[in-house]
Amino acid sequence: AVELALEWLADNQGDLVIRMSLPTIVQPRFLQEIQSCLSRSSVDLSRLYIELDAYGVEAHGEEVEVFCLAMKEMGVRVGLRRLLEHIGVLRNLQTLQLSYVSFSTDVIREMVQSPGGMELLVAASNTCARLGVQIQLNAPITEIPVEAQKILRA
């Protein structure tokens, strides 16, 4: 997948996001293999984004942290999806060197229905802002309640 992504980047303008699964990145030799592949590439690696699932941070935090740091050192950007579904990952966010997190508008709509959910959304938004991690939504911001829009725009 990484080699195909690099070929696409060489032939096209713009950035590219590829999703990687936890079983892939925790394979014993995977980190060495991807670093070797990336080091041979002539493309601007800052155009490549690798998106991971927040579950992986809960299940294999140390391995994910090492992977994220290695990718940042090579110029590749890393994003995280499903943070709101795995809110405990907020405790480790500062160790991951993330460029962005992706929030589901469906999950946000559920969260704003309870005071606790609203507080968790505030905590996630504030933590990302403090760390300089961009928040991306999987749909237009107008599809979430105004209360949530205010939190995310703050």
Side-chain angles (χ1 to χ4, degrees), residues 1-2 18-27 30-31 34 50-57 59-60 63-64 67 79-81:
V2 175
I18 58 172
R19 287 184 169 187
M20 284 201 181
S21 67
L22 178 63
T24 299
I25 67 169
V26 297
Q27 290 178 17
F30 180 73
L31 183 57
I34 192 172
I50 295 177
E51 189 174 270
L52 305 174
D53 193 299
Y55 168 75
V57 180
H60 293 276
E63 292 98 328
V64 173
F67 179 81
L80 193 66
R81 68 183 173 277

Side-chain angles (χ1 to χ4, degrees), residues 120-141:
L120 291 172
L121 184 59
V122 168
S125 181
N126 288 345
T127 302
C128 289
R130 239 179 271 130
L131 296 173
V133 176
Q134 182 183 29
I135 295 173
Q136 297 181 354
L137 300 176
N138 67 343
I141 196 166

Side-chain angles (χ1 to χ4, degrees), residues 1-153:
V2 175
E3 288 178 356
L4 287 174
L6 294 173
E7 287 177 24
W8 186 92
L9 288 169
D11 295 338
N12 297 277
Q13 295 182 353
D15 299 339
L16 182 64
V17 176
I18 58 172
R19 287 184 169 187
M20 284 201 181
S21 67
L22 178 63
T24 299
I25 67 169
V26 297
Q27 290 178 17
R29 295 196 29 81
F30 180 73
L31 183 57
Q32 292 173 334
E33 291 171 7
I34 192 172
Q35 286 174 313
S36 175
C37 179
L38 294 170
S39 66
R40 291 190 308 269
S41 176
S42 62
V43 303
D44 176 8
L45 295 178
S46 69
R47 296 174 47 217
L48 177 61
Y49 290 79
I50 295 177
E51 189 174 270
L52 305 174
D53 193 299
Y55 168 75
V57 180
E58 288 181 338
H60 293 276
E62 190 174 318
E63 292 98 328
V64 173
E65 183 179 331
V66 168
F67 179 81
C68 291
L69 180 60
M71 292 303 97
K72 182 174 183 173
E73 289 174 353
M74 299 210 68
V76 175
R77 300 173 198 222
V78 178
L80 193 66
R81 68 183 173 277
R82 296 187 345 117
L83 175 64
L84 296 177
E85 293 93 321
H86 299 278
I87 201 73
V89 170
L90 278 179
R91 293 186 305 264
N92 307 90
L93 214 57
Q94 76 281 355
T95 66
L96 299 177
Q97 313 291 320
L98 298 174
S99 293
Y100 72 93
V101 295
S102 179
F103 288 177
S104 163
T105 54
D106 291 335
V107 173
I108 291 172
R109 281 193 291 273
E110 289 175 22
M111 293 179 89
V112 299
Q113 295 186 21
S114 75
M118 287 290 285
E119 291 301 320
L120 291 172
L121 184 59
V122 168
S125 181
N126 288 345
T127 302
C128 289
R130 239 179 271 130
L131 296 173
V133 176
Q134 182 183 29
I135 295 173
Q136 297 181 354
L137 300 176
N138 67 343
I141 196 166
T142 55
E143 292 190 18
I144 60 174
V146 173
E147 306 95 315
Q149 290 180 32
K150 290 177 184 175
I151 291 168
L152 296 175
R153 288 183 171 143

